[in-house]
Structure formats: structure tokens, C-alpha cells
Amino acid sequence: MVETAWRPAGRSRTARAHPRARFWGSSAALAVLVLLAFAVPVLFGSESVRYDSIRLAPSPAHPFGTDSGGRDLFVQSLTGLRISLLVAGFSALVSTVLGSLVGAVAGALGGWPDRLLMRLVDIVNSVPHLLLGIVIVALYRGSLGAVILSIALTHWTTVARIVRSEVLSLRSRPYVDAAIAGGSSRWRILVRHLLPAIVPQAALSAVLLVPHAVWHETALSFLGLGLPPHLASIGNILGAGREAVLLGAWWIVLFPSLLLVATTLAVSGLAATWRDRVVPRRRSELAL
């Protein structure tokens, strides 16, 4: 008689409900943050400097207080979040496209193209990302395109490795062998069979890159090398609030930082649930 593994129904239900709760919770939080980031600046517009309201503490009139220019920090923080999300989104898109092309070509062709492209990946990874980003933006300081390019050129290597490993796995599938036996060229197999199969993995990589790109842009702007000072990104707000903290205006740094952390956690939670769907973890027989 074969014994079957038994697990309480409550545990199984909890195991299934946890990813679902994480997905809906992260989705709701991210939707609220994105809605506020795009709606509040449109409704309230950009405020001018008000010297009679400099560094006011949080109050019902100003929930986040005011900054060193007398502007409402709630509006400024959400405006900065919108700019940071746009920069991070474009950077993640460019990085994912570049990394997917390199990884797909390396995995599909193999041989010396694979070795050459992977050595290129190793060279880029050997240089600290922040240092390489600083070098790129220093050449075109204050340029929005330079910030996006610096983030994209320092984060595509991870996507390339993931896509390459996925392509190598797909090359051993029966339908690929059938296409090769039918006389299809490597480029046709890459375009018709491999690239469509790696789209979910590439899209997941793009989502996972967004929080990293937000922090990268924030670090560059905080150092004064990122976006122009007149753009209210999170990094610029934090950079301008360094001296204000020494004067007791802690809210100028606290609330934008909380928005940044909340956005990162929301995107990471959503991506983690998606990752479990795209790349399911191996389950033992007892978990079935």
C-alpha cells in the first residue's frame, strides 16, 4: 500500500492565498502611488518660491510640510516621483531591449559570438555601476537623455545573462529540433521561435529593473550629477534637503524617502508574484 502525503487543508489554502494577497496588495499600492504621482502635479501645478512659508513643519494645510523654497512638499514629492518613474521606466525599457538582443544572439548563435558577447558582459560588470554612470552623465551634465542612457548602459548585463540562459534552455526543446531538421536557419529560429518565448522573461526583467533604476537616478541626482536642478526628482529633493536636516527640517528628507521606499516595495512585490508565475519554483512531491 502506497502512503500518500497529507497536509492540512488550511495550510494549503494559506499557501495559495499569500501570493494572491501580495499581488493585490502590491498592485493597489502601486496604482495609488502612480495615480497620485500623475494626478496631483496636474491638479496643483508647479508652485513658485514663497519666502513666507520656508521650512514649515507638517500641518493640515501642508501634510508633508514645506521645503526650503516654501513650496508644498506633498506636491513636490509626488512631482519628483512622477519624474523618477518616467526616467526609470524609459531606462528599464532601453536596458531590457539591449540586454534581450545581446542575450538572444549569444544564446542562439553560440560559438565565438557567444564568447565575445559574454566577455563584453564581464567587462561591463567589472566596473561599478554607479562609477560608470557618473562618468557617462559627467560628459553631458544636466541632460535627461544622458541620465537615461547611463542607467540603461549599466543594467543591461543582468538581462543579457537571464535571456541567454533561457535561450540555451529553449534550444534543447523538441520544436526547435524539428525546426532545425526542417531546414530553418539560425536567424529564422531566433526570430520565429526563441524571441517570442523569452518575452515574458524579458518583461519581468524590465519590471524588476524599475526600482533599481529609480534608486540609481536618485543617487545621481543626490550627488548633483543627475537631472537638472529645476526638475523636482526625488534625488534633487533629497539633495536640496541635506542642509535643511541640519536646521531641524527632518520632513524634507523623510517623506520623499518614504515615497521612494513604498514605490520600491510595491513594484518588488508585484514582480515577485509575477516571477513565481513565469518561473515557477520546483515543488517536492509532498507539496503537490
Side-chain angles (χ1 to χ4, degrees):
M1 179 177 180
V2 179
E3 295 183 359
T4 58
W6 176 83
R7 182 177 58 184
R11 183 178 176 182
S12 176
R13 191 178 301 112
T14 304
R16 291 194 302 267
H18 177 67
R20 188 178 303 171
R22 181 177 59 182
F23 172 78
W24 287 112
S26 300
S27 300
L30 184 61
V32 171
L33 289 170
V34 172
L35 180 61
L36 289 175
F38 282 87
V40 170
V42 174
L43 295 176
F44 293 93
S46 58
E47 295 184 340
S48 57
V49 176
R50 298 183 57 182
Y51 294 104
D52 59 337
S53 304
I54 293 178
R55 291 190 291 273
L56 295 180
S59 63
H62 303 285
F64 286 7
T66 60
D67 60 8
S68 299
R71 295 176 291 262
D72 187 88
L73 191 59
F74 179 73
V75 178
Q76 288 293 104
S77 299
L78 291 173
T79 302
L81 181 61
R82 179 186 63 176
I83 295 175
S84 296
L85 286 176
L86 289 175
V87 172
F90 279 110
S91 302
L93 179 61
V94 174
S95 182
T96 301
V97 171
L98 179 60
S100 298
L101 290 177
V102 172
V105 171
L109 298 183
W112 68 265
D114 183 20
R115 293 192 293 271
L116 178 63
L117 292 175
M118 288 301 101
R119 295 299 77 75
L120 177 61
V121 169
D122 293 336
I123 292 173
V124 175
N125 283 335
S126 65
V127 181
H129 289 176
L130 185 58
L131 179 60
L132 182 58
I134 290 175
V135 172
I136 295 174
V137 298
L139 298 175
Y140 304 95
R141 190 168 180 177
S143 172
L144 181 62
V147 175
I148 294 176
L149 189 63
S150 69
I151 299 174
L153 292 181
T154 54
H155 291 78
W156 63 271
T157 54
T158 303
V159 181
R161 287 188 178 277
I162 293 174
V163 171
R164 174 181 175 270
S165 63
E166 186 72 14
V167 170
L168 291 177
S169 175
L170 292 171
R171 283 175 55 182
S172 60
R173 301 294 175 85
Y175 66 88
V176 176
D177 294 336
I180 295 175
S184 298
S185 64
R186 289 186 177 182
W187 287 106
R188 181 178 177 83
I189 293 174
L190 175 63
V191 174
R192 292 291 301 273
H193 300 288
L194 299 182
L195 286 181
I198 64 174
V199 168
Q201 190 68 258
L204 175 60
S205 300
V207 175
L208 289 172
L209 277 177
V210 170
H212 198 176
V214 169
W215 284 94
H216 197 102
E217 180 276 322
T218 301
L220 291 175
S221 298
F222 181 80
L223 295 174
L225 297 171
L227 299 178
H230 67 275
L231 291 178
S233 69
I234 295 293
N236 284 338
I237 295 174
L238 295 178
R242 284 179 293 186
E243 298 179 358
V245 173
L246 300 177
L247 299 175
W250 48 267
W251 54 88
I252 299 181
V253 172
L254 176 63
F255 291 113
S257 300
L258 290 178
L259 279 179
L260 183 61
V261 172
T263 303
T264 302
L265 292 177
V267 177
S268 300
L270 184 62
T273 307
W274 189 3
R275 180 188 57 206
D276 293 342
R277 293 275 186 175
V278 175
V279 188
R281 299 173 181 174
R282 294 182 179 179
R283 299 182 177 91
S284 64
E285 293 181 358
L286 293 179
L288 294 176

